[in-house]
Amino acid sequence: MDLFDEIDESQSLKLAEGSTLLRGFALCEQATMLKDLHAVVTLAPFRHMVTPGGFTMSVAMTNCGDLGWVTDKKGYRYDALDPLTGKPWPAMPASFMALARAAAKLAGYSEFTPDACLINRYQVGARMSLHQDKNERDFNQPIVSVSLGVSAVFQLGGFERADKAVKLPLYHGDVVVWGGDSRLRYHGVLPLKVSHHPAFGEYRINLTFRKAG
Ligand code: MD6
Ligand code: FE
C-alpha cells in the first residue's frame, strides 16, 4: 500500500461537498488491473443491457463482486447472479479492492468495503445520460469511480435533472470518490470521441465500486 500512501496531495481536488478527484491515482496499479479485468470479463462478458423503458444501453457492462448491477424490462437492481451465465459474478480481484479502499481512505472514508463493482465499457459514441445512483441500500456509503483507457467528459450536475452540469474531463488513471452531499447528484458521460489508448485501444473502461447490499 506504500505507493498509494505516497500520492501527491496536490493531485487531490475537491469537486463538490463530499466528492474528490484523485488525478492519476490508479496509474500505479494499471498493469495488474488490466490483467485482472481480462480474467473477470472472460467469466462474465460485457453485454449491452436493456433499460426498463426498452432501450438498449450504448455502454456495455459487466460486474464483479458479491452483487452486480443489472437492468432489464423489469427494472434496475442488484443481483448476486449474472443473468447471462446464471452463475455468481466473478469475485472482486484483490487489486480492485485495494485500489478502491485506498482511494476512499484518502478522501476520508476509512471504512469503505465495496461488495459490488460495475464495469462500464464505452466505445466511440457511447454515452451515459444524466442519472442518479439510487439502487444501493445506504447512501451514506461513497462510490469510488476509476477511469481507464480513452478519456471522456464527465458531467457533474445538481440534485434535479434540469440543473446545470459542470463538464469535467476524466483521463486514464483518474479516480473520483463520490460521497456525502454529492452522492445523489445527477451525473453522466458525454458521447465518447474517437481516440486510442496504448493498453485499452478504442475503449474507455469505468469501474464503480459500491457497497450495494
Ligand atoms: C462513468 N459513472 O464514469 C459513469 N456513478 O462511466 C457513473 O455513473 C458514476 O462515476 C456514480 C458514482 C460515480 C460515477
Ligand atoms: Fe452513476
Side-chain angles (χ1 to χ4, degrees):
M1 300 303 282
D2 295 333
L3 275 174
F4 292 134
D5 290 337
E6 283 169 21
I7 189 168
D8 181 352
E9 288 285 328
S10 68
Q11 295 294 94
S12 164
L13 184 78
K14 180 169 161 178
L15 295 177
E17 203 53 53
S19 68
T20 306
L21 169 60
L22 305 170
R23 282 273 187 230
F25 189 71
L27 289 175
C28 56
E29 284 297 284
Q30 59 177 314
T32 316
M33 292 187 73
L34 183 58
K35 174 178 73 68
D36 290 342
L37 180 65
H38 274 299
V40 167
V41 304
T42 301
L43 294 168
F46 283 112
R47 78 293 304 263
H48 293 272
M49 297 193 235
V50 176
T51 66
F55 294 100
T56 300
M57 298 185 78
S58 60
V59 177
M61 297 176 167
T62 187
N63 293 275
C64 61
D66 291 342
L67 293 170
W69 186 85
V70 294
T71 174
D72 57 20
K73 293 239 163 98
K74 289 179 278 177
Y76 305 121
R77 63 194 174 275
Y78 283 92
D79 204 310
L81 301 181
D82 176 352
L84 206 60
T85 64
K87 294 185 198 152
W89 297 101
M92 196 182 299
S95 65
F96 286 23
M97 179 65 88
L99 182 83
R101 287 177 58 86
K105 189 175 174 191
L106 202 59
Y109 301 95
S110 55
E111 302 297 317
F112 184 54
T113 303
D115 57 11
C117 174
L118 170 63
I119 307 171
N120 293 325
R121 188 188 69 185
Y122 296 71
Q123 57 188 57
V124 174
R127 60 190 286 272
M128 181 87 72
S129 54
L130 286 175
H131 68 276
Q132 293 171 297
D133 287 48
K134 290 173 92 169
N135 297 121
E136 301 74 26
R137 207 181 289 274
D138 179 4
F139 299 150
N140 292 313
Q141 293 280 341
I143 295 178
V144 173
S145 167
V146 179
S147 293
L148 297 168
V150 170
S151 55
V153 179
F154 192 80
Q155 295 174 289
L156 176 57
F159 299 99
E160 308 280 348
R161 192 185 296 274
D163 289 349
K164 195 173 159 47
V166 169
K167 292 187 178 67
L168 174 75
L170 290 179
Y171 304 104
H172 176 68
D174 286 352
V175 177
V176 180
V177 182
W178 183 280
D181 288 348
S182 290
R183 181 64 180 70
L184 290 175
R185 280 184 186 273
Y186 277 88
H187 58 280
V189 177
L190 294 181
L192 200 75
K193 297 237 172 87
V194 183
S195 188
H196 185 270
H197 183 275
F200 288 84
E202 69 197 84
Y203 296 112
R204 171 179 188 254
I205 301 289
N206 173 259
L207 312 172
T208 43
F209 295 92
R210 301 115 188 286
K211 175 84 180 82

